[in-house]
Amino acid sequence: MGLKIAIQGVKASFHEEASFKYFGEDIETIECDTFKKTCELLKQKKVDYVVMAIENSIAGSILPNYNLLRDYKFNIVGEIALSIHQNLLALPGVKLADIKFIESHQMAIRQCEEFLQELPDVKISESSDTAASAAKVANQKLTDTAAIAGTLAAKTYGLNILEAKIETNKKNSTRFLVLSNDVEEQASANKASLSFQTGNSVGSLASILQCFADQNINLSKIQSMPVIGKRNEYDFFVDVEWKKQSDYDAAIRKVLKHSINFNIMGEYVKNDRI
């Protein structure tokens, strides 16, 4: 067996699917109940990498994971964009009319709100993972319960797809980060994840953003998180992309003059192809 990859969730989860897409299938995925557990395993060097979801095109950013990135200070060495199609899964022979309960991860439920609104008499419950919900239906032989999960989960746990592609937006995708204890130099890097704080003065954030614009650096994402215990202070997490390394280097030099607690979380190859 090859690399050990910590994932939140169980076999056939979207995290495992993303791991296979990035590393290939000759890996060992280590199942974890929580994202914090994946980070602990990496910190203890019991795994080689963590694959962590960070944002979904429908449900938005996974904010608690930004706190983990800040607290553990791992290096971001890659990213994966995965097209997400959610399906309603049930035991063979079970019909939609038989379903009284549906369960899945909260992000999956949010992605399927329009479909679920058409089932007002069905109770919706949150679980730790999409594939774990599928496994529960299969293992406990629940004839009144369906799970929202991917096609890999249906195949793995022997469930039928009652309704396919029930996500509200058919261009649903999730971005995952690949985390490592070590910096991995990548000669063709063209994307970086950065974090910093600003001074509490008028235009301080705008000054930093202008530094990127002046050097033709594309700001592909910005996320703010409150600094714990400090009122009106924020950590800013940004993703930037560039075509010329010299432009990026110049932008960083400028940003350093305007920011506080600046940190390069990772420089890696842009990989947003679905």
Side-chain angles (χ1 to χ4, degrees), residues 1-224:
M1 188 63 69
L3 297 169
K4 289 185 177 181
I5 314 299
I7 60 171
Q8 188 275 324
V10 302
K11 292 192 70 63
S13 66
F14 289 114
H15 274 86
E16 184 173 67
E17 193 173 336
S19 299
F20 288 156
K21 182 177 180 181
Y22 189 86
F23 292 103
E25 296 194 13
D26 187 26
I27 59 174
E28 180 182 359
T29 51
I30 308 301
E31 303 169 10
C32 300
D33 293 338
T34 64
F35 286 112
K36 184 175 178 62
K37 179 64 174 178
T38 67
C39 292
E40 281 296 313
L41 290 181
L42 183 59
K43 179 181 178 181
Q44 297 165 14
K45 299 185 178 181
K46 294 181 178 179
V47 297
D48 299 295
Y49 297 96
V50 165
V51 168
M52 175 186 285
I54 197 66
E55 63 179 318
N56 175 265
S57 59
I58 297 175
S61 297
I62 305 176
L63 297 181
N65 287 357
Y66 278 97
N67 286 330
L68 292 175
L69 293 176
R70 175 174 58 191
D71 294 343
Y72 282 89
K73 296 180 171 56
F74 294 133
N75 296 289
I76 300 171
V77 298
E79 65 176 354
I80 312 118
L82 189 68
S83 181
I84 304 293
H85 295 300
Q86 303 287 7
N87 308 283
L88 193 66
L89 311 182
L91 289 171
V94 172
K95 299 178 181 179
L96 184 58
D98 301 324
I99 300 301
K100 298 178 182 177
F101 306 95
I102 294 175
E103 76 166 52
S104 191
H105 189 274
Q106 62 171 330
M107 294 292 282
I109 291 170
R110 287 171 61 185
Q111 293 163 24
C112 303
E113 285 180 342
E114 285 190 9
F115 174 83
L116 296 175
Q117 287 171 2
E118 298 175 2
L119 304 172
D121 297 327
V122 176
K123 182 178 179 180
I124 313 298
S125 300
E126 294 182 3
S127 69
S128 62
D129 179 60
T130 54
S133 297
K136 177 181 175 180
V137 171
N139 295 336
Q140 298 183 20
K141 302 189 184 308
L142 302 177
T143 57
D144 61 352
T145 304
I148 298 174
T151 54
L152 182 59
K155 180 179 179 181
T156 300
Y157 299 109
L159 299 179
N160 282 353
I161 297 178
L162 291 182
E163 298 281 345
K165 297 183 179 181
I166 62 173
E167 65 274 7
T168 300
N169 188 323
K170 304 310 174 187
K171 293 184 178 180
N172 184 22
S173 64
T174 294
R175 178 176 174 239
F176 299 80
L177 300 177
V178 181
L179 308 179
S180 171
N181 279 310
D182 304 315
V183 175
E184 296 185 3
E185 298 290 343
Q186 301 183 39
S188 55
N190 57 3
K191 187 171 184 177
S193 294
L194 315 170
S195 67
F196 55 82
Q197 298 169 16
T198 66
N200 192 17
S201 59
V202 175
S204 57
L205 177 59
S207 296
I208 291 176
L209 300 184
Q210 190 62 48
C211 293
F212 292 121
D214 289 345
Q215 297 300 144
N216 298 311
I217 303 300
N218 179 40
L219 187 70
S220 59
K221 181 176 176 62
I222 182 168
Q223 180 70 53
S224 64

